[in-house]
Amino acid sequence: MKKVYIETLGCQMNKSDAERMYGMLECLNYTQTDNPKEADLLIINTCSIRQLSEDKAYSAIGVWGKWKKERKPDLKIVFAGCVAQQAGESVLRRAPYVDLVLGTQRLYELPELIKRIENGERLVSVDETPYEESDIKINRVKSVNAWVPIMEGCNNFCTYCIVPYTRGRERSRKYELIMNEIKKALSEGFKEITLLGQNVDSYQGEEEGQNLSWLLRQINALDGNFRVRFVTNYPTEITDELIDTVIELDKVCEYFHIPMQSGDDYVLKKMNRRYDYLTYKKICDKIRSKIPDVTITSDFIAGFPGETEEQFENTLKAMRELELDYSNTAAYSPRERTVAAKWTDLYIPEDVKTERLARLNECNRECCLKSNQKYLGREMEVLIENFEQDRGVITGRTRNNKIVHIPYDKDMTGEFATVKITRARTWYLNGELI
Ligand code: SAH
Ligand code: SF4
Ligand code: F3S
């Protein structure tokens, strides 16, 4: 048996792709290793959302190239993921020791291509036409949560974002493949299913009316004690039907991830987001009024080209006013091919971006702590995910995605526990089993 090591740099979708690669490669007699030094096949699964993530990809494989040259000439190196889809051929020039450049759209072609590089070919497969998916083996990371992509791609072309270029146009996965995958994960003991997509609201089954709410109903009807989540939602695509579905279905968790990006209407327009602050607020208010204890998380960008201090402050104001439970934050990073990257004269200086990001993070910390304090003294259902024997602590998540640490000396991973919240920290809660 040969050994394969995959280094994943991106989002949950990328991690999910890695689980699929491991599965496909096992069928070619490759076993998974956690030690890149002993691998016969090394795969870097790249992310290009920001320049930093792209740079990481190239610096990681530099070391691999050295190993190949100095002591392991038969080593095969694959450059996969979002940077690969975009950079294509040019990767081979930049990193001549790479054997295969595999774009996100060609994931399922991997087995065929591996056989060819084993025979000494050097290949690039980044065609934008997706390679048709089949019912493959998936080697999931051992956990209680299974990621299941339901759609991929994006048609929105926000002016800062590379994803429409790396993940292609929106398309839904076949209903049968999704359901088979979920049933299999549940039979393997997974207790939580997270449906993934760049815009999960765009899921569309084979027939009319088969939207995300419909899909959730089909999943909810499956036997067993498990939870269902979905990420990411586009603010204006969240329908009343979806909100009502979350209320109605017992297995679907009270959690929405709804990136706002900016709290300023002018900036939102420049970002090509299709809503203003008030519209976002109304959606948020509606969800909060209908679903008690719902968690709403978001994404924000600091220092978008042309963003004034006043416009940036509108973002801080929005975060506080909506009492967002948690936000991912980032400084704007220009991405090749995107519209905003061309507005070089409007770029915000690095030090200003860094300073704004720090304020955004501080505001986020305040919001998180405030959000967590709401749950002091409450009893909550926690799905245990982890056991740290030496510390005597089990860790899990509530339905609304709060992390809870509980003192306990036995492994309860995969079990549902009722927990009383005793202390609120910034990033997590402390609780006791009851
Ligand atoms: N589909 C989701 C987001 C996917 S990308 C949505 O509609 O929002 C994840 C996050 O990365 C984005 O929400 C955004 O906040 C951030 N991001 C994307 N491009 C970026 C860039 N060029 N610089 C900084 N952050 C960026
Ligand atoms: Fe990127 Fe916008 Fe698409 Fe989200 S909706 S993936 S931010 S282009
Ligand atoms: Fe990165 Fe691609 Fe995900 S760019 S964030 S790995 S979709």
Side-chain angles (χ1 to χ4, degrees):
M1 291 275 267
K2 291 184 179 175
K3 288 185 178 152
V4 53
Y5 171 85
I6 305 180
E7 174 120 3
T8 295
L9 302 172
C11 60
Q12 292 172 339
M13 184 74 89
N14 251 30
K15 290 180 186 155
S16 165
D17 287 348
E19 297 179 331
R20 278 146 225 275
M21 291 191 219
Y22 275 130
M24 288 186 271
L25 290 166
E26 194 182 292
C27 300
L28 292 182
N29 279 330
Y30 280 91
T31 52
Q32 196 170 326
T33 172
D34 294 330
N35 180 3
K37 285 193 172 153
E38 63 172 34
D40 306 285
L41 171 62
L42 287 166
I43 302 181
I44 186 109
N45 189 15
T46 60
C47 169
S48 62
I49 201 77
R50 286 181 281 277
Q51 189 61 45
L52 195 70
S53 32
E54 184 172 331
D55 294 346
K56 254 195 220 161
Y58 288 107
S59 62
I61 56 162
V63 183
W64 295 355
K66 231 172 124 199
W67 295 347
K68 181 168 173 168
K69 196 171 160 206
E70 287 169 5
R71 56 182 173 83
K72 216 170 178 180
D74 289 338
L75 181 66
K76 299 292 175 207
I77 300 177
V78 176
F79 194 90
C82 286
V83 180
Q85 182 67 45
Q86 208 196 335
E89 284 272 351
S90 70
V91 178
L92 294 188
R93 286 192 293 275
R94 198 164 163 178
Y97 42 81
V98 165
D99 298 279
L100 167 64
V101 182
L102 179 75
T104 54
Q105 310 302 293
R106 311 300 292 176
L107 179 72
Y108 296 99
E109 198 184 2
L110 182 69
E112 240 170 77
L113 299 172
I114 290 292
K115 283 183 214 152
R116 288 175 58 190
I117 62 168
E118 280 174 346
N119 288 330
E121 283 186 75
R122 287 183 82 213
L123 299 166
V124 178
S125 182
V126 292
D127 198 284
E128 279 172 22
T129 322
Y131 188 88
E132 196 168 341
E133 170 183 2
S134 49
D135 205 354
I136 56 150
K137 188 170 184 317
I138 304 167
N139 287 10
R140 296 185 186 279
V141 172
K142 280 204 175 50
S143 138
V144 298
N145 177 59
W147 293 308
V148 178
I150 60 168
M151 62 79 64
E152 189 179 346
C154 182
N155 299 344
N156 289 325
F157 290 94
C158 302
T159 54
Y160 50 82
C161 184
I162 195 76
V163 172
Y165 305 94
T166 65
R167 290 282 173 178
R169 294 296 69 70
E170 280 177 2
R171 63 208 171 274
S172 298
R173 287 182 73 210
K174 285 207 181 87
Y175 172 70
E176 244 189 68
L177 287 171
I178 297 172
M179 285 309 261
N180 285 347
E181 211 176 280
I182 294 174
K183 285 181 200 159
K184 184 137 192 289
L186 294 174
S187 74
E188 286 167 7
F190 286 90
K191 290 293 186 323
E192 197 170 86
I193 303 294
T194 301
L195 307 178
L196 298 181
Q198 272 81 33
N199 301 285
V200 280
D201 324 82
S202 302
Y203 171 80
Q204 178 58 54
E206 279 95 274
E207 281 168 42
E208 217 178 302
Q210 298 185 337
N211 58 11
L212 177 60
S213 299
W214 173 84
L215 180 65
L216 289 169
R217 283 195 290 274
Q218 312 311 307
I219 300 169
N220 196 77
L222 296 173
D223 285 338
N225 191 11
F226 65 95
R227 291 172 172 177
V228 186
R229 304 183 186 280
F230 50 86
V231 283
T232 300
N233 291 94
Y234 191 89
T236 47
E237 301 293 312
I238 298 174
T239 58
D240 288 346
E241 186 195 8
L242 181 64
I243 301 172
D244 292 339
T245 304
V246 173
I247 299 169
E248 176 199 321
L249 302 179
D250 59 323
K251 290 168 183 154
V252 178
C253 293
E254 295 73 26
Y255 172 66
F256 284 85
H257 181 63
I258 323 171
M260 187 181 348
Q261 314 298 1
S262 166
D264 183 83
D265 291 348
Y266 183 78
V267 175
L268 284 170
K269 219 182 222 127
K270 288 287 167 199
M271 287 177 161
N272 195 29
R273 300 289 284 184
R274 299 188 306 276
Y275 52 88
D276 55 14
Y277 173 60
L278 206 63
T279 309
Y280 184 101
K281 181 176 184 306
K282 278 188 188 149
I283 295 158
C284 209
D285 289 347
K286 193 195 283 177
I287 295 172
R288 289 223 197 267
S289 72
K290 284 186 156 190
I291 312 178
D293 293 345
V294 68
T295 288
I296 301 179
T297 60
S298 192
D299 295 349
F300 288 96
I301 297 173
F304 183 75
E307 182 189 67
T308 64
E309 170 61 24
E310 198 189 339
Q311 288 163 349
F312 171 69
E313 279 169 17
N314 282 338
T315 294
L316 297 178
K317 233 191 274 170
M319 223 181 198
R320 287 201 184 100
E321 186 174 41
L322 301 185
E323 299 191 358
L324 292 169
D325 297 285
Y326 173 81
S327 299
N328 299 310
T329 59
Y332 169 73
S333 169
R335 309 310 293 127
E336 212 185 315
R337 290 176 80 179
T338 62
V339 174
K342 298 182 181 76
W343 302 335
T344 45
D345 50 333
L346 295 176
Y347 279 11
I348 305 295
E350 284 304 320
D351 58 330
V352 179
K353 279 201 280 187
T354 309
E355 184 260 348
R356 284 185 191 168
L357 180 61
R359 280 153 73 201
L360 202 54
N361 287 339
E362 187 46 42
C363 187
N364 183 30
R365 264 192 288 276
E366 284 166 28
C367 289
C368 289
L369 183 60
K370 210 165 153 196
S371 159
N372 283 345
Q373 282 167 340
K374 288 189 291 199
Y375 297 100
L376 265 176
R378 293 272 302 275
E379 283 178 22
M380 303 179 90
E381 181 201 89
V382 177
L383 170 58
I384 307 300
E385 294 179 357
N386 190 27
F387 174 45
E388 278 177 75
Q389 194 159 17
D390 39 335
R391 283 180 57 218
V393 174
I394 54 175
T395 305
R397 253 167 231 272
T398 61
R399 287 178 61 97
N400 60 4
N401 215 27
K402 298 277 180 194
I403 296 167
V404 189
H405 292 207
I406 308 146
Y408 200 60
D409 57 6
K410 279 196 242 2
D411 192 0
M412 279 183 70
T413 303
E415 290 180 50
F416 292 91
T418 309
V419 173
K420 186 171 174 151
I421 305 304
T422 52
R423 186 168 173 182
R425 315 256 191 171
T426 302
W427 307 123
Y428 63 94
L429 300 165
N430 288 111
E432 276 164 14
L433 291 179
I434 51 173

